Amino acid sequence: MEKSKIYTRTGDQGRTSLVGGTRVSKTHVRLEAYGTVDELNAFLGGLVEQLSGVEEERDCLQAVQHQLFAVGAYLATGPGGAPSSVSVLSDGCVARLEAAIDRLDASLPPLAAFVLPGGSQAACWGHICRTVCRRAERRILALEETEGTEIDANVKRFVNRLSDYLFVLSRKMNNLSKKEEIMWDKSCR
């Protein structure tokens, strides 16, 4: 079997192919959606490397990375392209994230104010991932609005829950590192 080339030269003019063969501009809202999901997945890889000694969360995030790859495949499927069976998330994917959120949150003190991003390095990575996740969610919703095609409900629920998980995980990482959370000072002093 001959090794394929990494470059194809087919995108040199600013256009690319969606799953199904439709060619679109690289600035198309669909590419913004799945490109931001890909960016999130890359940042999650960095976060996973910060979670030494927290195997349950490493395992959770690595499963999430696989699920995000499926989300990317789903979003990369153009109109008329049949989405692959691997590109659809189950209710269980959302339920597992909710269970992880509840598990982590149960071990944390209640919030009395808004938390500013910061603290341990793992918490900082978690907050970066959370904000990229929120941007991915906005891009997915913009795709739905722009194309008038309903995005799979589990995709929207999953991405929404993932940002919540990342927030609670960031709090947990500060807690484990004995780093004090930075609470927002409303007076801005």
Side-chain angles (χ1 to χ4, degrees):
M1 176 185 215
E2 187 178 328
K3 186 176 178 181
S4 62
K5 290 189 179 212
I6 296 298
Y7 57 90
T8 62
R9 297 186 176 123
T10 59
D12 291 353
Q13 300 305 311
R15 298 186 68 74
T16 193
S17 293
L18 301 175
V19 174
T22 303
R23 298 218 26 105
V24 296
S25 168
K26 289 185 176 183
T27 61
H28 191 279
V29 66
R30 185 172 292 279
L31 270 79
E32 281 294 323
Y34 75 75
T36 306
V37 168
D38 186 38
E39 181 183 355
L40 170 60
N41 214 340
F43 275 113
L44 287 174
L47 175 57
V48 167
E49 291 307 308
Q50 299 299 316
L51 301 180
S52 59
V54 194
E55 292 310 309
E56 191 168 11
E57 304 320 319
R58 286 175 62 95
D59 292 346
C60 179
L61 284 176
Q62 286 179 331
V64 163
Q65 286 188 283
H66 288 280
Q67 292 155 351
L68 282 176
F69 206 87
V71 168
Y74 169 79
L75 295 171
T77 302
S84 147
S85 62
V86 300
S87 65
V88 179
L89 297 179
S90 69
D91 293 340
C93 294
V94 177
R96 282 188 291 280
L97 272 180
E98 289 174 346
I101 292 166
D102 293 342
R103 176 178 42 76
L104 288 172
D105 196 44
S107 69
L108 295 170
L111 280 174
F114 286 104
V115 175
L116 296 181
S120 70
Q121 192 163 9
C124 291
W125 272 90
H127 282 295
I128 291 167
C129 291
R130 175 185 57 79
T131 60
V132 174
C133 187
R134 286 290 188 207
R135 180 161 39 89
E137 181 181 25
R138 291 189 303 272
R139 298 296 184 260
I140 291 167
L141 295 173
L143 171 62
E144 184 175 60
E145 290 174 9
T146 302
E147 292 208 338
T149 310
E150 189 169 334
I151 299 295
D152 181 85
N154 279 338
V155 167
K156 292 186 286 189
R157 290 172 55 218
F158 181 79
V159 174
N160 187 273
R161 286 316 172 283
L162 179 55
S163 62
D164 295 334
Y165 170 78
L166 292 165
F167 174 75
V168 176
L169 177 62
S170 296
R171 292 193 69 215
K172 182 65 176 181
M173 292 303 94
N174 276 337
N175 182 270
L176 289 173
S177 300
K178 308 282 188 248
K179 294 276 187 174
E180 198 169 311
E181 289 185 297
I182 307 162
M183 298 301 176
W184 177 44
D185 176 5
K186 290 186 266 188
S187 71
C188 297
R189 287 185 222 167

